[in-house]
Amino acid sequence: MSESYEYVPHRLLHQRVRDIASGTEGVLMAVINENVSDAAIERWMELAYIRGASGREFTTAVTNVEPAPDQLRIVGRRDRRSA
């Protein structure tokens, strides 16, 4: 079993996000492609590391990450100015 991993770029890195699975909000600290298997067969998954209000980080599938509601307005403003 390989213990390697790699950091993956993400458009919401270091911004407030919401984990749609739990409803928890925090700052997206990293997205890492990790081997999540306990068995001999490798299973790779992109995990999002989110730091919650308590300062503790938790993981979720990167597909569960969306901008926090307060971030939607900020992103929208940036898009209009650059258009």
Side-chain angles (χ1 to χ4, degrees), residues 23-70:
T24 306
E25 293 184 10
V27 177
L28 181 62
M29 302 306 292
V31 175
I32 301 177
N33 190 28
E34 290 187 49
N35 179 4
V36 295
S37 175
D38 289 344
I41 299 172
E42 294 183 355
R43 181 170 172 250
W44 291 83
M45 183 174 180
E46 287 187 356
L47 293 177
Y49 282 76
I50 300 172
R51 182 172 294 157
S54 68
R56 298 186 97 187
E57 290 186 13
F58 64 94
T59 60
T60 190
V62 75
T63 55
N64 288 342
V65 174
E66 66 181 15
D70 61 333

Side-chain angles (χ1 to χ4, degrees), residues 11 18 39 43 48-49 73:
R11 67 184 179 87
R18 179 177 172 268
R43 181 170 172 250
Y49 282 76
R73 291 187 303 275

